[in-house]
Amino acid sequence: MSTVEFNQMLVNNAEFLKPFAITLTRDSEAAKDLFQETLFRALANKDKYSVGTNIKAWLYTIMRNIFINNYRRKVKQNTIFDSTPNDFLINQTQSVVANNAESNLRLKDIQEAIHNLPQIFRNPFLLYFDGFKYHEIADMLGEPLGTIKSRIHFARKLLKNQIERH
């Protein structure tokens, strides 16, 4: 296939890439950059295109790969290291409890707060806490799924308010 034929085929099949780029990036400026990069890579790698291959699928694959590589690069750039000798990640979540007595008091407060919940909220919450799925709890208690979800939501809200007061 000649360069002119390839370029013409590329131009004829490029417009469908724009909505795909917007879907991937969710940003019109980033989508324009992705679109341009895709066409550039397609032109640069025209020798890798096999005649008879679905050009749209080939272009989709190029665009998707560019997007994924850019995303991975961006994630790596957002990881921040501090300068301590152990190179701990700054954005790593670490929780430290001063002593067992303090954590036992917190646990006691939480257990008391759960015990003080009205039974209508306590039972679904405890089943959910024990690992049951919403639909399993609904079946066990003979209640509609939406009712179970809202009761667990309200139980969490009540627990949060009670624990914040302590």
Side-chain angles (χ1 to χ4, degrees), residues 20-69:
F20 184 55
I22 290 173
T23 302
L24 288 173
T25 62
R26 297 190 177 142
D27 175 21
S28 62
E29 289 303 313
K32 288 177 187 175
D33 292 342
L34 181 60
F35 177 74
Q36 277 186 334
E37 181 70 18
T38 302
L39 293 181
F40 172 75
R41 294 259 179 98
L43 287 170
N45 294 298
K46 75 178 177 84
D47 56 314
K48 294 180 182 170
Y49 175 74
S50 302
V51 178
T53 303
N54 183 348
I55 185 80
K56 289 182 179 183
W58 190 67
L59 291 171
Y60 268 133
T61 303
I62 292 171
M63 182 174 276
R64 191 189 76 234
N65 289 343
I66 292 169
F67 176 76
I68 290 169
N69 290 338

Side-chain angles (χ1 to χ4, degrees), residues 15-130:
E15 281 304 308
F16 75 93
L17 286 172
K18 289 180 181 177
F20 184 55
I22 290 173
T23 302
L24 288 173
T25 62
R26 297 190 177 142
D27 175 21
S28 62
E29 289 303 313
K32 288 177 187 175
D33 292 342
L34 181 60
F35 177 74
Q36 277 186 334
E37 181 70 18
T38 302
L39 293 181
F40 172 75
R41 294 259 179 98
L43 287 170
N45 294 298
K46 75 178 177 84
D47 56 314
K48 294 180 182 170
Y49 175 74
S50 302
V51 178
T53 303
N54 183 348
I55 185 80
K56 289 182 179 183
W58 190 67
L59 291 171
Y60 268 133
T61 303
I62 292 171
M63 182 174 276
R64 191 189 76 234
N65 289 343
I66 292 169
F67 176 76
I68 290 169
N69 290 338
N70 288 345
Y71 176 80
R72 287 179 180 156
R73 192 174 299 120
K74 205 179 293 181
V75 168
K76 281 184 180 179
Q77 289 172 348
N78 287 338
T79 303
I80 302 168
F81 290 96
D82 66 5
S83 59
T84 60
N86 295 330
D87 287 332
F88 288 109
L89 291 174
I90 288 175
N91 45 5
Q92 179 182 3
T93 57
Q94 296 178 351
S95 60
V96 177
V97 176
N99 59 37
N100 275 344
E102 185 178 329
S103 63
N104 287 340
L105 286 173
R106 280 299 245 167
L107 186 60
K108 227 174 162 180
D109 289 342
I110 293 170
Q111 288 171 340
E112 183 182 335
I114 292 171
H115 180 72
N116 290 336
L117 282 174
Q119 184 177 354
I120 198 167
F121 298 128
R122 184 175 57 235
N123 290 344
F125 177 79
L126 287 174
L127 288 170
Y128 183 77
F129 185 76
D130 286 339

